[in-house]
Amino acid sequence: MREAASTGQPKFRPTQSQIAAMRMAAKRDWPAGEPRIDWINKATARVLLREGVIVERPHSAAGGRGNIIDLTPVGEALLVSI
């Protein structure tokens, strides 16, 4: 959801599912390894990628399922402000 900020520029306000996905990306100690893009809803991932909150990087292991996601500095700052 977007809302007009006092400067006139749109401000990104994440939904509950987007916040959960950001927390998932921030957590690095998953039993299955690092968080993957296919662990979250496609629409949620698309919005977070478009807003620059997360980035995808290729999984290095051959046959690995899904690319790994990382929070960007923008995503980290957004998560702290929530």
Side-chain angles (χ1 to χ4, degrees), residues 29-58:
D29 59 346
W30 290 95
E34 295 180 289
R36 308 273 189 251
I37 194 76
D38 59 349
W39 290 5
I40 57 178
N41 178 286
K42 285 182 183 181
T44 299
R46 195 174 314 124
V47 170
L48 294 177
L49 286 166
R50 182 183 67 223
E51 294 294 333
V53 175
I54 62 171
V55 292
E56 264 187 289
R57 62 183 167 92

